[in-house]
């Protein structure tokens, strides 16, 4: 195996892990650990330049202490991420991200849906929200795959509809048309449990546009025919004939400025679409001892990845929204410190505390220009986010252990109703679990002993 195998999407997970271990055997120089983590790394199982093994390696090269994979509608990379993180000496948290209708159709019909007509954290459609399910016990991964299978299938069908829309535009420009199987499924991990996303479509379209107009200033001029609004920074990137990230840069611009021209709104799961309700995903997550989280976006002024326009989202009604989340049983809220202002994060902290929600941090890594570091987590006022991360590291391992035959005690998930610590406040539970999480990874504490610490 060669080091390049670590990031080879055509290799098997076992081959990538073997290549990673062979690379580690050469004793590469790593920086010291910093007080940072990233719980929201996308991999090739949704859309990313990184395999799970490479994502774990990049996280270690950045000095992180914990890395977590969160793929869209898929947890197929979870096992590889867990093994790779352990190999490089990091804690890990695995999960998936999905879109949901906030309210059931019956509540909308009967006027009991206060957020149905409001844009939440989804730039494309009001009433639909992104949420994550994190800290998935290993033995629940098959159940997750089964739950997400119809969602993945429906999303592929909707993507094919959007390809038809995109091909109308490409045809008018004289560009090669997109073939769903070759250009989208073929560049994804769909056949291995992964998901096809809008980014796969936009990457395919970007490649067709580059093929039509060429690289450099001819591409920038050609994009004018699509009406894309390019900043000076983006214009310089797209005009660089030697840009190694051209496809990623172009798809980011198209996501922000063009996607609405080809977009097809996801339908409800009950209607053959890909979106369950928020309550349904919460119930499923809790049934497998995982942690469902609402993904707070907040009003956007400038997007660090260039794929979101300046726009208003939840902030005007955030108090009402977080109260609603607590009422329907959402135990956690996740957000991305580099995207939000200090004022936004302080407000989330206050509302989460008031409504009994865990705060979870992470930055969605899906382009090669992004860094894995999250230096905001070194700020004293955000220290509780590091504790929450370590608590989730412990949760994932202890929830798994308590599902096994070796354990005959009470369930050990952080939010399990029957947990030995269920009577403690959330802050006290997080304190106990975070200490155990650090010991599991940094001291090599055996999981049975960790379970005894929580149970005792």
């Amino acid at each position: 195996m060669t080091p390049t195998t670590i990031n080879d999407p055509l290799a098997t997970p076992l081959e990538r892990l073997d290549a990673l271990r062979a690379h580690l055997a050469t004793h590469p120089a790593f920086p010291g650990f910093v007080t940072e983590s990233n719980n929201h790394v996308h991999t090739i199982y949704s859309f990313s330049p990184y395999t799970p093994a490479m994502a774990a390696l990049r996280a270690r090269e950045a000095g992180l202490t914990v890395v977590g994979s969160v793929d869209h509608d898929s947890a197929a990379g979870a096992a590889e991420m867990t093994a790779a993180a352990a190999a490089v000496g990091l804690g890990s948290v695995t999960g998936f991200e999905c879109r949901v209708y906030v309210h059931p159709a019956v509540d909308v019909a009967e006027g009991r849906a206060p957020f149905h007509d409001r844009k939440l954290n989804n730039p494309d459609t009001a009433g639909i929200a992104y949420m994550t399910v994190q800290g998935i016990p290993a033995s629940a991964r098959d159940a997750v795959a089964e739950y997400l299978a119809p969602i993945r299938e429906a999303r592929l069908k909707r993507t094919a509809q959007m390809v038809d829309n995109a091909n109308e535009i490409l045809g008018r420009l004289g560009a090669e048309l997109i073939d769903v199987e070759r250009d989208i499924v073929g560049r994804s991990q769909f056949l291995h449990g992964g998901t096809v996303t809008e980014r796969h479509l936009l990457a395919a379209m970007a490649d067709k546009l580059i093929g039509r107009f060429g690289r450099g200033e001819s591409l920038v001029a050609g994009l004018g025919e699509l009406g894309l609004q390019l900043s000076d920074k983006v214009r310089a990137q797209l005009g660089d004939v030697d840009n190694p990230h051209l496809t990623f840069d172009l798809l980011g611009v198209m996501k922000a400025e063009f996607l609405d021209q080809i977009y097809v709104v996801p339908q409800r799961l009950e209607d053959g679409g890909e979106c369950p309700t928020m309550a349904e995903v919460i119930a499923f997550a809790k049934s497998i001892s995982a942690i469902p989280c609402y993904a707070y976006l907040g009003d956007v002024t400038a997007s660090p990845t260039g794929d979101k326009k300046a726009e208003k989202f939840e902030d005007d009604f955030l108090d009402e929204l977080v109260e609603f989340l607590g009422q329907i049983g959402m135990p956690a809220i996740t957000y991305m410190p580099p995207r939000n202002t200090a004022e936004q994060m302080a407000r989330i902290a206050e509302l989460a505390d008031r409504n009994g929600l865990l705060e979870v941090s992470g930055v969605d890594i899906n382009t090669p220009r992004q860094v894995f570091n999250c230096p905001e987590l070194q700020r004293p006022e955000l220290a509780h986010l590091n504790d929450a991360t370590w608590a989730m590291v412990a949760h994932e391992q202890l929830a798994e252990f308590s599902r096994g035959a070796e354990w005959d005690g009470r369930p050990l998930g952080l939010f399990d109703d029957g947990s030995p610590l269920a009577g403690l406040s959330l802050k006290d539970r997080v304190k106990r679990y975070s200490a155990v999480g650090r010991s599991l990874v940094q001291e090599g504490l055996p999981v049975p002993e960790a379970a005894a610490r929580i149970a005792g």
Side-chain angles (χ1 to χ4, degrees), residues 369-417:
R369 289 191 183 276
Q370 292 176 271
V371 296
F372 279 69
N373 291 92
C374 185
E376 289 81 2
L377 293 182
Q378 297 192 41
R379 288 156 46 179
E381 67 271 23
L382 297 182
H384 63 290
L385 295 177
N386 293 313
D387 288 338
T389 290
W390 282 112
M392 291 199 302
V393 170
H395 158 86
E396 186 164 323
Q397 294 192 44
L398 292 176
E400 170 62 17
F401 181 73
S402 65
R403 288 164 61 92
E406 185 178 347
W407 181 252
D408 59 2
R410 299 160 70 181
L412 297 177
L414 183 61
F415 290 98
D416 284 337
D417 291 335

Short mmCIF file of all heavy atoms in Angstrom, two decimals, residues 369-417:
data_model
loop_
_atom_site.label_atom_id
_atom_site.label_comp_id
_atom_site.label_asym_id
_atom_site.label_seq_id
_atom_site.Cartn_x
_atom_site.Cartn_y
_atom_site.Cartn_z
N ARG A 369 -9.95 23.47 0.30
CA ARG A 369 -9.42 24.74 0.80
C ARG A 369 -9.66 24.93 2.30
O ARG A 369 -9.05 25.79 2.93
CB ARG A 369 -10.03 25.92 0.04
CG ARG A 369 -9.56 26.05 -1.40
CD ARG A 369 -10.01 27.36 -2.00
NE ARG A 369 -9.65 27.49 -3.39
CZ ARG A 369 -8.46 27.91 -3.84
NH1 ARG A 369 -7.51 28.23 -2.98
NH2 ARG A 369 -8.22 27.99 -5.14
N GLN A 370 -10.58 24.16 2.87
CA GLN A 370 -10.91 24.34 4.28
C GLN A 370 -9.84 23.72 5.18
O GLN A 370 -9.23 22.71 4.83
CB GLN A 370 -12.26 23.71 4.59
CG GLN A 370 -13.43 24.43 3.94
CD GLN A 370 -14.73 23.71 4.21
OE1 GLN A 370 -15.12 22.82 3.45
NE2 GLN A 370 -15.41 24.06 5.28
N VAL A 371 -9.66 24.34 6.33
CA VAL A 371 -8.74 23.79 7.33
C VAL A 371 -9.57 23.04 8.38
O VAL A 371 -10.73 23.35 8.62
CB VAL A 371 -7.92 24.90 8.00
CG1 VAL A 371 -7.02 25.58 6.98
CG2 VAL A 371 -8.81 25.92 8.69
N PHE A 372 -8.95 22.04 8.98
CA PHE A 372 -9.64 21.23 9.98
C PHE A 372 -9.69 21.92 11.34
O PHE A 372 -10.50 21.55 12.19
CB PHE A 372 -8.96 19.87 10.10
CG PHE A 372 -9.37 18.89 9.03
CD1 PHE A 372 -9.00 19.07 7.71
CD2 PHE A 372 -10.14 17.79 9.35
CE1 PHE A 372 -9.38 18.18 6.72
CE2 PHE A 372 -10.53 16.88 8.37
CZ PHE A 372 -10.15 17.08 7.06
N ASN A 373 -8.82 22.88 11.55
CA ASN A 373 -8.76 23.54 12.85
C ASN A 373 -10.00 24.38 13.12
O ASN A 373 -10.65 24.88 12.21
CB ASN A 373 -7.53 24.43 12.94
CG ASN A 373 -6.26 23.64 12.98
OD1 ASN A 373 -5.66 23.37 11.93
ND2 ASN A 373 -5.82 23.23 14.16
N CYS A 374 -10.30 24.52 14.39
CA CYS A 374 -11.36 25.41 14.84
C CYS A 374 -10.81 26.20 16.02
O CYS A 374 -11.11 25.89 17.18
CB CYS A 374 -12.61 24.61 15.24
SG CYS A 374 -14.04 25.62 15.67
N PRO A 375 -9.97 27.21 15.76
CA PRO A 375 -9.28 27.93 16.85
C PRO A 375 -10.23 28.61 17.83
O PRO A 375 -9.83 28.90 18.96
CB PRO A 375 -8.40 28.94 16.11
CG PRO A 375 -8.98 29.06 14.74
CD PRO A 375 -9.59 27.72 14.44
N GLU A 376 -11.48 28.84 17.39
CA GLU A 376 -12.45 29.45 18.31
C GLU A 376 -12.61 28.62 19.58
O GLU A 376 -12.93 29.15 20.66
CB GLU A 376 -13.81 29.60 17.62
CG GLU A 376 -13.86 30.67 16.54
CD GLU A 376 -13.28 30.19 15.21
OE1 GLU A 376 -12.87 29.02 15.12
OE2 GLU A 376 -13.22 31.00 14.26
N LEU A 377 -12.39 27.30 19.47
CA LEU A 377 -12.60 26.43 20.62
C LEU A 377 -11.51 26.60 21.68
O LEU A 377 -11.60 26.00 22.75
CB LEU A 377 -12.66 24.97 20.17
CG LEU A 377 -13.88 24.60 19.32
CD1 LEU A 377 -13.87 23.12 18.97
CD2 LEU A 377 -15.18 24.95 20.05
N GLN A 378 -10.50 27.42 21.40
CA GLN A 378 -9.51 27.71 22.41
C GLN A 378 -9.90 28.91 23.27
O GLN A 378 -9.23 29.23 24.26
CB GLN A 378 -8.14 27.96 21.76
CG GLN A 378 -7.60 26.74 21.02
CD GLN A 378 -6.15 26.91 20.62
OE1 GLN A 378 -5.34 27.41 21.37
NE2 GLN A 378 -5.82 26.45 19.41
N ARG A 379 -11.01 29.56 22.91
CA ARG A 379 -11.47 30.70 23.70
C ARG A 379 -12.13 30.21 24.99
O ARG A 379 -12.91 29.25 24.98
CB ARG A 379 -12.45 31.53 22.88
CG ARG A 379 -11.75 32.31 21.77
CD ARG A 379 -12.61 32.68 20.60
NE ARG A 379 -13.91 33.23 20.96
CZ ARG A 379 -14.80 33.62 20.04
NH1 ARG A 379 -14.51 33.52 18.75
NH2 ARG A 379 -15.96 34.11 20.41
N PRO A 380 -11.84 30.83 26.12
CA PRO A 380 -12.36 30.37 27.41
C PRO A 380 -13.87 30.25 27.46
O PRO A 380 -14.41 29.32 28.07
CB PRO A 380 -11.85 31.43 28.40
CG PRO A 380 -10.64 32.01 27.74
CD PRO A 380 -10.93 31.99 26.27
N GLU A 381 -14.58 31.18 26.81
CA GLU A 381 -16.04 31.14 26.88
C GLU A 381 -16.65 29.99 26.09
O GLU A 381 -17.85 29.72 26.20
CB GLU A 381 -16.63 32.48 26.40
CG GLU A 381 -16.44 32.79 24.93
CD GLU A 381 -15.16 33.54 24.62
OE1 GLU A 381 -14.21 33.46 25.45
OE2 GLU A 381 -15.10 34.23 23.58
N LEU A 382 -15.83 29.29 25.29
CA LEU A 382 -16.33 28.15 24.53
C LEU A 382 -15.77 26.82 25.04
O LEU A 382 -15.90 25.79 24.38
CB LEU A 382 -15.98 28.31 23.04
CG LEU A 382 -16.62 29.52 22.33
CD1 LEU A 382 -16.23 29.54 20.86
CD2 LEU A 382 -18.13 29.51 22.47
N ALA A 383 -15.18 26.84 26.23
CA ALA A 383 -14.60 25.61 26.79
C ALA A 383 -15.65 24.53 26.95
O ALA A 383 -15.34 23.33 26.86
CB ALA A 383 -13.93 25.92 28.13
N HIS A 384 -16.91 24.92 27.19
CA HIS A 384 -17.96 23.92 27.38
C HIS A 384 -18.19 23.10 26.11
O HIS A 384 -18.68 21.97 26.18
CB HIS A 384 -19.27 24.59 27.81
CG HIS A 384 -19.83 25.55 26.81
ND1 HIS A 384 -19.26 26.76 26.50
CD2 HIS A 384 -20.94 25.45 26.03
CE1 HIS A 384 -19.98 27.38 25.59
NE2 HIS A 384 -21.00 26.61 25.28
N LEU A 385 -17.85 23.65 24.94
CA LEU A 385 -17.99 22.89 23.70
C LEU A 385 -16.99 21.75 23.63
O LEU A 385 -17.29 20.68 23.10
CB LEU A 385 -17.83 23.82 22.49
CG LEU A 385 -18.91 24.91 22.33
CD1 LEU A 385 -18.59 25.80 21.13
CD2 LEU A 385 -20.30 24.29 22.18
N ASN A 386 -15.79 21.98 24.14
CA ASN A 386 -14.81 20.89 24.21
C ASN A 386 -15.29 19.81 25.17
O ASN A 386 -15.14 18.61 24.90
CB ASN A 386 -13.45 21.44 24.66
CG ASN A 386 -12.83 22.37 23.62
OD1 ASN A 386 -12.81 22.06 22.45
ND2 ASN A 386 -12.36 23.52 24.07
N ASP A 387 -15.86 20.21 26.30
CA ASP A 387 -16.39 19.22 27.23
C ASP A 387 -17.51 18.41 26.58
O ASP A 387 -17.60 17.18 26.76
CB ASP A 387 -16.92 19.91 28.49
CG ASP A 387 -15.81 20.46 29.37
OD1 ASP A 387 -14.68 19.97 29.26
OD2 ASP A 387 -16.10 21.37 30.16
N ALA A 388 -18.37 19.07 25.82
CA ALA A 388 -19.47 18.37 25.15
C ALA A 388 -18.93 17.35 24.15
O ALA A 388 -19.46 16.24 24.01
CB ALA A 388 -20.40 19.36 24.46
N THR A 389 -17.87 17.73 23.43
CA THR A 389 -17.27 16.81 22.47
C THR A 389 -16.76 15.56 23.17
O THR A 389 -17.01 14.43 22.74
CB THR A 389 -16.13 17.50 21.71
OG1 THR A 389 -16.69 18.48 20.82
CG2 THR A 389 -15.33 16.49 20.89
N TRP A 390 -16.01 15.75 24.26
CA TRP A 390 -15.49 14.58 24.97
C TRP A 390 -16.61 13.75 25.59
O TRP A 390 -16.51 12.52 25.68
CB TRP A 390 -14.50 15.03 26.04
CG TRP A 390 -13.16 15.36 25.48
CD1 TRP A 390 -12.57 16.59 25.41
CD2 TRP A 390 -12.23 14.46 24.86
NE1 TRP A 390 -11.34 16.52 24.80
CE2 TRP A 390 -11.10 15.21 24.47
CE3 TRP A 390 -12.24 13.09 24.62
CZ2 TRP A 390 -10.01 14.64 23.84
CZ3 TRP A 390 -11.15 12.51 24.00
CH2 TRP A 390 -10.05 13.28 23.61
N ALA A 391 -17.69 14.42 25.99
CA ALA A 391 -18.84 13.68 26.50
C ALA A 391 -19.44 12.79 25.41
O ALA A 391 -19.86 11.66 25.68
CB ALA A 391 -19.89 14.64 27.04
N MET A 392 -19.47 13.29 24.18
CA MET A 392 -20.01 12.48 23.08
C MET A 392 -19.07 11.33 22.72
O MET A 392 -19.53 10.26 22.31
CB MET A 392 -20.29 13.36 21.86
CG MET A 392 -21.45 14.31 22.06
SD MET A 392 -22.12 14.92 20.50
CE MET A 392 -20.68 15.67 19.78
N VAL A 393 -17.75 11.55 22.87
CA VAL A 393 -16.81 10.45 22.66
C VAL A 393 -17.13 9.32 23.63
O VAL A 393 -17.21 8.14 23.25
CB VAL A 393 -15.36 10.94 22.85
CG1 VAL A 393 -14.39 9.75 22.89
CG2 VAL A 393 -14.96 11.90 21.73
N ALA A 394 -17.32 9.67 24.89
CA ALA A 394 -17.66 8.66 25.89
C ALA A 394 -19.03 8.06 25.60
O ALA A 394 -19.22 6.83 25.70
CB ALA A 394 -17.65 9.28 27.28
N HIS A 395 -19.99 8.90 25.25
CA HIS A 395 -21.34 8.42 24.97
C HIS A 395 -21.32 7.32 23.91
O HIS A 395 -21.95 6.28 24.08
CB HIS A 395 -22.23 9.57 24.50
CG HIS A 395 -23.41 9.10 23.71
ND1 HIS A 395 -24.59 8.72 24.31
CD2 HIS A 395 -23.59 8.90 22.38
CE1 HIS A 395 -25.44 8.30 23.39
NE2 HIS A 395 -24.86 8.42 22.21
N GLU A 396 -20.63 7.57 22.79
CA GLU A 396 -20.66 6.61 21.68
C GLU A 396 -20.11 5.25 22.10
O GLU A 396 -20.68 4.21 21.76
CB GLU A 396 -19.89 7.17 20.48
CG GLU A 396 -20.01 6.30 19.25
CD GLU A 396 -19.57 7.00 17.97
OE1 GLU A 396 -19.83 8.22 17.82
OE2 GLU A 396 -18.99 6.32 17.11
N GLN A 397 -19.03 5.27 22.87
CA GLN A 397 -18.45 3.99 23.29
C GLN A 397 -19.26 3.32 24.40
O GLN A 397 -19.45 2.10 24.39
CB GLN A 397 -17.01 4.22 23.75
CG GLN A 397 -16.08 4.67 22.63
CD GLN A 397 -14.62 4.61 23.03
OE1 GLN A 397 -14.17 3.64 23.64
NE2 GLN A 397 -13.87 5.66 22.69
N LEU A 398 -19.77 4.11 25.32
CA LEU A 398 -20.51 3.52 26.43
C LEU A 398 -21.91 3.07 26.01
O LEU A 398 -22.41 2.05 26.50
CB LEU A 398 -20.61 4.53 27.58
CG LEU A 398 -19.28 4.85 28.27
CD1 LEU A 398 -19.47 5.93 29.32
CD2 LEU A 398 -18.67 3.60 28.89
N ALA A 399 -22.54 3.82 25.11
CA ALA A 399 -23.84 3.39 24.60
C ALA A 399 -23.69 2.06 23.87
O ALA A 399 -24.54 1.17 23.98
CB ALA A 399 -24.43 4.45 23.67
N GLU A 400 -22.59 1.91 23.13
CA GLU A 400 -22.33 0.65 22.44
C GLU A 400 -22.08 -0.47 23.44
O GLU A 400 -22.64 -1.57 23.32
CB GLU A 400 -21.13 0.81 21.51
CG GLU A 400 -20.59 -0.50 20.92
CD GLU A 400 -21.61 -1.22 20.05
OE1 GLU A 400 -22.61 -0.59 19.62
OE2 GLU A 400 -21.41 -2.42 19.81
N PHE A 401 -21.26 -0.20 24.44
CA PHE A 401 -20.94 -1.23 25.43
C PHE A 401 -22.19 -1.71 26.17
O PHE A 401 -22.37 -2.92 26.38
CB PHE A 401 -19.92 -0.68 26.43
CG PHE A 401 -19.50 -1.66 27.48
CD1 PHE A 401 -18.65 -2.72 27.17
CD2 PHE A 401 -19.97 -1.55 28.78
CE1 PHE A 401 -18.27 -3.64 28.14
CE2 PHE A 401 -19.59 -2.46 29.76
CZ PHE A 401 -18.74 -3.50 29.45
N SER A 402 -23.07 -0.79 26.52
CA SER A 402 -24.25 -1.17 27.28
C SER A 402 -25.31 -1.87 26.44
O SER A 402 -26.26 -2.43 26.97
CB SER A 402 -24.87 0.05 27.97
OG SER A 402 -25.36 0.99 27.05
N ARG A 403 -25.14 -1.87 25.10
CA ARG A 403 -26.03 -2.63 24.22
C ARG A 403 -25.58 -4.08 24.08
O ARG A 403 -26.29 -4.91 23.52
CB ARG A 403 -26.06 -1.98 22.83
CG ARG A 403 -26.80 -0.66 22.76
CD ARG A 403 -26.47 0.10 21.48
NE ARG A 403 -26.85 -0.63 20.27
CZ ARG A 403 -28.02 -0.51 19.65
NH1 ARG A 403 -28.94 0.30 20.13
NH2 ARG A 403 -28.27 -1.19 18.54
N GLY A 404 -24.38 -4.40 24.57
CA GLY A 404 -23.81 -5.73 24.37
C GLY A 404 -24.13 -6.69 25.50
O GLY A 404 -24.58 -6.31 26.59
N ALA A 405 -23.87 -7.95 25.24
CA ALA A 405 -24.17 -9.01 26.20
C ALA A 405 -23.29 -8.94 27.44
O ALA A 405 -23.66 -9.46 28.50
CB ALA A 405 -24.01 -10.37 25.52
N GLU A 406 -22.13 -8.29 27.32
CA GLU A 406 -21.20 -8.21 28.45
C GLU A 406 -21.75 -7.34 29.58
O GLU A 406 -21.32 -7.47 30.73
CB GLU A 406 -19.85 -7.67 27.96
CG GLU A 406 -18.76 -7.65 29.02
CD GLU A 406 -17.43 -7.15 28.46
OE1 GLU A 406 -17.29 -7.06 27.23
OE2 GLU A 406 -16.53 -6.87 29.27
N TRP A 407 -22.68 -6.47 29.25
CA TRP A 407 -23.20 -5.52 30.24
C TRP A 407 -24.62 -5.91 30.62
O TRP A 407 -25.48 -6.09 29.78
CB TRP A 407 -23.21 -4.11 29.64
CG TRP A 407 -23.71 -3.05 30.57
CD1 TRP A 407 -24.90 -2.39 30.50
CD2 TRP A 407 -23.03 -2.50 31.70
NE1 TRP A 407 -25.00 -1.46 31.51
CE2 TRP A 407 -23.85 -1.52 32.27
CE3 TRP A 407 -21.78 -2.76 32.29
CZ2 TRP A 407 -23.49 -0.78 33.40
CZ3 TRP A 407 -21.42 -2.03 33.41
CH2 TRP A 407 -22.26 -1.04 33.95
N ASP A 408 -24.86 -6.03 31.91
CA ASP A 408 -26.20 -6.39 32.37
C ASP A 408 -26.80 -5.29 33.24
O ASP A 408 -27.76 -5.51 33.98
CB ASP A 408 -26.19 -7.72 33.13
CG ASP A 408 -25.25 -7.67 34.35
OD1 ASP A 408 -24.64 -6.61 34.60
OD2 ASP A 408 -25.14 -8.70 35.04
N GLY A 409 -26.23 -4.09 33.14
CA GLY A 409 -26.73 -2.98 33.94
C GLY A 409 -27.65 -2.07 33.14
O GLY A 409 -28.20 -2.45 32.10
N ARG A 410 -27.78 -0.85 33.60
CA ARG A 410 -28.66 0.13 32.97
C ARG A 410 -28.00 0.73 31.72
O ARG A 410 -26.76 0.71 31.61
CB ARG A 410 -29.01 1.22 33.97
CG ARG A 410 -29.75 0.66 35.20
CD ARG A 410 -29.68 1.59 36.39
NE ARG A 410 -30.48 2.78 36.18
CZ ARG A 410 -30.56 3.77 37.08
NH1 ARG A 410 -29.88 3.71 38.22
NH2 ARG A 410 -31.32 4.83 36.82
N PRO A 411 -28.79 1.27 30.78
CA PRO A 411 -28.19 1.85 29.57
C PRO A 411 -27.29 3.03 29.91
O PRO A 411 -27.55 3.75 30.88
CB PRO A 411 -29.41 2.28 28.75
CG PRO A 411 -30.53 2.40 29.74
CD PRO A 411 -30.25 1.36 30.78
N LEU A 412 -26.26 3.22 29.11
CA LEU A 412 -25.22 4.20 29.45
C LEU A 412 -25.12 5.36 28.47
O LEU A 412 -24.14 6.11 28.51
CB LEU A 412 -23.86 3.48 29.54
CG LEU A 412 -23.74 2.41 30.63
CD1 LEU A 412 -22.38 1.73 30.55
CD2 LEU A 412 -23.95 3.02 32.01
N GLY A 413 -26.10 5.51 27.58
CA GLY A 413 -26.09 6.67 26.69
C GLY A 413 -26.30 7.96 27.47
O GLY A 413 -26.99 7.98 28.50
N LEU A 414 -25.72 9.04 26.98
CA LEU A 414 -25.78 10.33 27.67
C LEU A 414 -27.21 10.78 27.93
O LEU A 414 -27.49 11.43 28.95
CB LEU A 414 -25.03 11.38 26.84
CG LEU A 414 -24.91 12.79 27.41
CD1 LEU A 414 -24.15 12.78 28.73
CD2 LEU A 414 -24.22 13.71 26.39
N PHE A 415 -28.13 10.45 27.02
CA PHE A 415 -29.51 10.90 27.15
C PHE A 415 -30.49 9.74 27.38
O PHE A 415 -31.70 9.92 27.28
CB PHE A 415 -29.94 11.70 25.92
CG PHE A 415 -29.27 13.04 25.82
CD1 PHE A 415 -28.15 13.21 25.01
CD2 PHE A 415 -29.73 14.11 26.55
CE1 PHE A 415 -27.52 14.44 24.92
CE2 PHE A 415 -29.11 15.35 26.47
CZ PHE A 415 -28.00 15.52 25.66
N ASP A 416 -29.98 8.54 27.67
CA ASP A 416 -30.87 7.41 27.92
C ASP A 416 -31.67 7.66 29.20
O ASP A 416 -31.11 8.03 30.25
CB ASP A 416 -30.06 6.12 28.08
CG ASP A 416 -29.57 5.57 26.76
OD1 ASP A 416 -30.18 5.90 25.71
OD2 ASP A 416 -28.57 4.84 26.75
N ASP A 417 -32.98 7.45 29.11
CA ASP A 417 -33.85 7.68 30.26
C ASP A 417 -33.45 6.83 31.45
O ASP A 417 -33.56 7.24 32.60
CB ASP A 417 -35.31 7.41 29.89
CG ASP A 417 -35.86 8.45 28.93
OD1 ASP A 417 -35.33 9.58 28.91
OD2 ASP A 417 -36.82 8.13 28.20
#
